[in-house]
Amino acid sequence: MAAWSPSVGIGSCCLNKGVTRTWKFPSARFFTGKNKIKLGSETLMFTRKRFMGDLVTSALKSYQLSKICASKTSIELREALSTRRAQVDDLKKVTSYSFRTNSGALVKVKVEQKREKYSIMVYVSSLELTGDDKSRLVMVWGVYRSHSSCFLPLDFENSSQDSQTHTTETPFVKSSLSELMLGLEFDGKESPFYLSFHLKLVSGRDPDGQEMLTHRDTDFCIPVGFTAGHPLPLGLSSGPDDDSWNFAFFSRNSTNVVLCLYDDTTTDKPALELDLDPYVNRTGDVWHASIDNTWDFVRYGYRCKETAHSEEDVDVEAEPIVLDPYATVIGKSVSQKFLGSLFKNPSFDWGEDVSPNIPLEKLIVYRLNVKGFTQHKSSKLPSNVAGTFSGVAEKVSHLKTLGVNGVLLEPIFSFSEQKGPYFPFHFFSPMDIYGPSNSLESAVNSMKEMVKKLHSQGIEVLLEVVFTHTTDSGALHGIDDSCYYYKGRANDVDYKSYLNCNYPVVQQLILESLRYWVTEFHVDGFCFINASSLLRGVHGEQLSRPPLVEAITFDPLLAETKLIADCWDPLEMMPKELRFPHWKRWAELNTRYCRNVRNFLRGRGVLSDLATRICGSGDIFTDGRGPAFSFNYISRNSGLSLVDLVSFSNPEIASELSWNCGEEGATNKSAVLQRRLKQIRNFLFIQYISLGIPVLNMGDECGISTKGSPLLESRKPFDWNLLASAFGTQITQFISFMTSVRERRSDVFQRRYFLKPENIVWYANDQTTPKWEDPTSKFLALEIKSESEEEETASLVEPTEPKSNDLFIGFNASDHPESVILPSLPDGSKWRRLVDTALPFPGFFSVEGETVVVAEEQLQQLIVYEMKPYSCTFFETISSTA
């Protein structure tokens, strides 16, 4: 493997430790005898600045002489430039390391790559040998890869190797520069490896020798065939000329980190393991190394050792190989373990893709699960497309039919298939099963194509993200648990997979992940699951200004993204309520909205709660934000679906605040079925006329049911056949109609600011003041008057499409009809009914509307409208001439 070099010529280029910008070429040294050295006549020294100056000077001189001998000068200049380039190329292959011994001597080591050889020169200065004739300095050395205490056997000429320790003793020789030196040469095919050595000062009085170590009392360690690399950026990155890979890996509490490299995707055994040196390959808490990319390695991982092994108990395979948290391309091994890939994501042609950049108040969101959306055979998609990002793109027409302009994807980060998408193990890669070929590369391309197509249709892509916990194993476990996780820090966060989000290294990981999804995948926003845990400090305490949330808020690369806090916790299955710090940037998934609307329609709660939610939840969002920051949902992927909310209400699901409308589960009773249908219409109606952002859950438009189970694993794929059913047809059309109403009356329903109090009038059924806090009151109505500044533009709107006419909305949650007196109107105006959820389909909603006239028997020209039990109505004024 190694052979004594008969001739050595070394140039030094200090990199890494003790960096200098001066290169020094010693005079050529030729070994002429056993210990004799012949020195050349001169030493060449130059700095980078001087070197560039010489080039410029040469160029200027050549230009001045060009009039006399242009052709000759041109040739000489080209030759000079060629020579200088060759010298620079040689310098790039030289690495220098400097050490201090524990006795104060200076040790310099230079590693130079010469074609297929590695030449190593070791220089020792500031060391005086005794006058004893037998006094000499010896280097005791060995080479290793996977473990620093396990040296490899060598076939080394002219030096005897200890058969037990696999170490070799090589004496130094003295140069004319009053320093000691020796040279070694290794075959490049044997690299990469570490050269590890210590010095031994031998004299006649001490033939066993005095051992000399580094100032840290450790062996000297030199990488050969690779370099120390750089601590930033974390993860895998390319060298300046794309000729090398730089590995950077955070682990504060590991005493050793082993870089494991694989040259075959069909094996679990690394082809090469490099035990990174704590002095050369560590800066702060980051371990790093740089390897030439001409090697045939395809994947990589790390072993982390938190305790040092004794020499008698060395088991390099005792620690599991962990995945690089920053790897952007990952792949499965034979044993289904995920490893980082040394291949880059293929380039993608985004063309003229641009984010729709829809104002927050204009959003209408559809939450979906990528797999469940098109997995069912009724989607009629090819098997390799169904259940993938490509499948979502194929169904964009359905999203357009509903009037959706934003999709909220359930977590797509690589996750545990056993526990589901809310338990990720990696934050920089989409789940491979969402790609047409179940591979990461296809998932990446498929997702980008999906985003590009949705953007072209004016639809934004929002991601649910989980940064507060991971799956139980295979995520960040084994890297540095005390930094990444809350391991035993507080009783209420003792769950072993809770991430310590506001710890600096975790905060950095989360920020880099968000930036990656925005820049690489053109994502438009994020909904943070279990957002309440983002407010925990490093010891589990609640923070009023959590550094992670603040950093996300003001990050320049995230400035145009939508940020949504969702305090639902997948581990506890219940949402939490708290004041979320927002800096006027964060919206929130409104849990109070869901609970209050459910309570009202099942005959519970008080009218004040419903009124607050309809008007934009001022109790939450009057703190500098507005109703557009309220994401209003009735059902979600966890808990009961919309159809189950009106079909099941047994004690086991009491927390769902549901009502079965008179009979539990499936039934053939017409009265119960009609009541359930009205309640579904009521839920959707209230959701779409409320100020804020409506969030529709996948499958609610066609009646997907889990038979009353609130569990995530009980969810069923979207059955596309149900869209053609009587239920699916009318509900889909009703949602589309309500979307158009919101858009047409954006002055009321798509507002960034709250309605003015003087423009809202609340009524009981007889036009008296509602009994706000009376739980027996189950009727509420409101009149919304057009704002004066909007009236100026009313003449620009067609009479059949009023933009700023008054509205009257009624809600009856009681089991008996209510006679409602509509507000009086000035001459020339009349009321038209657009919605009455109690009427049969297709008459319960109408684009043109039906004019409400005064009956002959009604006194004082008052308009009385009878609202059926469990119904909602919607009226709008219109010109009498229309």
Side-chain angles (χ1 to χ4, degrees), residues 474-733:
L476 301 171
H477 305 88
I479 297 176
D480 198 329
D481 290 3
S482 61
C483 290
Y484 280 109
Y485 292 101
Y486 273 114
K487 194 174 183 180
R489 291 177 181 265
N491 293 332
D492 60 338
V493 289
D494 209 20
Y495 190 81
K496 65 179 180 180
S497 293
Y498 258 116
L499 285 173
N500 196 349
C501 298
N502 284 295
Y503 196 78
V505 69
V506 186
Q507 177 181 328
Q508 181 182 358
L509 176 69
I510 294 172
L511 282 170
E512 289 294 342
S513 173
L514 295 172
R515 294 166 184 155
Y516 178 74
W517 289 99
V518 170
T519 57
E520 186 71 18
F521 291 91
H522 294 197
V523 167
D524 302 291
F526 303 95
C527 179
F528 293 77
I529 300 298
N530 194 15
S532 56
S533 289
L534 298 178
L535 311 186
R536 294 186 185 275
V538 296
H539 302 293
E541 73 278 15
Q542 289 293 124
L543 302 176
S544 59
R545 294 189 62 170
L548 172 61
V549 176
E550 189 168 4
I552 293 172
T553 303
F554 297 105
D555 190 277
L557 292 181
L558 305 178
E560 299 300 322
T561 61
K562 294 174 172 64
L563 305 176
I564 310 157
D566 182 358
C567 293
W568 172 72
D569 185 350
L571 296 169
E572 298 181 6
M573 301 302 292
M574 289 296 292
K576 302 174 183 178
E577 290 190 13
L578 73 163
R579 283 283 181 177
F580 195 86
H582 54 81
W583 288 277
K584 299 182 181 180
R585 277 276 283 130
W586 287 76
E588 295 181 40
L589 215 65
N590 196 338
T591 301
R592 293 190 205 176
Y593 179 91
C594 172
R595 185 173 63 251
N596 291 158
V597 173
R598 287 186 183 187
N599 265 333
F600 174 76
L601 288 180
R602 68 177 185 148
R604 310 285 180 87
V606 293
L607 298 179
S608 59
D609 287 339
L610 178 67
T612 301
R613 303 306 151 220
I614 291 172
C615 290
S617 297
D619 57 335
I620 303 175
F621 300 103
T622 51
D623 51 0
R625 290 180 286 180
F629 289 84
S630 175
F631 277 61
N632 302 329
Y633 72 97
I634 299 298
S635 67
R636 59 181 303 153
N637 44 10
S638 62
L640 297 180
S641 66
L642 183 57
V643 73
D644 285 351
L645 275 177
V646 298
S647 304
F648 298 89
S649 54
N650 59 72
E652 288 77 12
I653 55 173
S655 61
E656 294 291 324
L657 307 180
S658 58
W659 177 47
N660 61 20
C661 295
E663 186 167 328
E664 187 73 5
T667 182
N668 292 322
K669 294 182 178 179
S670 177
V672 174
L673 292 175
Q674 288 299 318
R675 196 176 299 128
R676 289 177 179 177
L677 182 58
K678 284 195 296 182
Q679 288 289 76
I680 289 173
R681 295 173 179 175
N682 294 337
F683 273 122
L684 292 171
F685 174 78
I686 294 175
Q687 185 178 22
Y688 275 76
I689 59 92
S690 298
L691 273 67
I693 312 305
V695 181
L696 184 67
N697 201 48
M698 181 187 84
D700 282 348
E701 70 270 36
C702 60
I704 296 293
S705 171
T706 60
K707 308 301 181 184
S709 173
L711 301 178
L712 282 170
E713 53 267 28
S714 300
R715 294 177 303 168
K716 295 181 179 179
F718 192 101
D719 187 347
W720 291 87
N721 290 329
L722 294 178
L723 286 175
S725 66
F727 177 90
T729 299
Q730 67 166 287
I731 295 302
T732 300
Q733 291 183 16

Side-chain angles (χ1 to χ4, degrees), residues 18 117 125 131 177 182 186 205 379 438 569 596 699 714 821 863:
K117 302 285 186 180
S125 58
L177 300 176
L182 66 78
F186 295 89
R205 286 176 294 181
S379 67
N438 285 345
D569 185 350
N596 291 158
S714 300
I821 301 176
I863 301 176

Side-chain angles (χ1 to χ4, degrees), residues 228-302:
H230 308 282
L232 293 175
L234 288 174
L236 179 70
S237 58
S238 300
D241 299 319
D242 285 335
D243 57 352
S244 62
W245 293 113
N246 189 79
F247 301 85
F249 180 78
F250 172 90
S251 186
R252 168 174 293 176
N253 293 301
S254 291
T255 57
N256 292 88
V257 170
V258 179
L259 173 61
C260 303
L261 297 164
Y262 298 76
D263 59 4
D264 188 351
T265 59
T266 62
T267 180
D268 283 329
K269 186 173 179 60
L272 177 68
E273 296 190 37
L274 291 175
D275 190 352
L276 303 182
D277 181 72
Y279 184 67
V280 174
N281 297 104
R282 181 172 181 171
T283 303
D285 298 325
V286 178
W287 303 74
H288 45 83
S290 179
I291 296 180
D292 194 285
N293 63 9
T294 57
W295 296 97
D296 294 329
F297 299 123
V298 293
R299 290 179 180 170
Y300 72 101
Y302 298 92

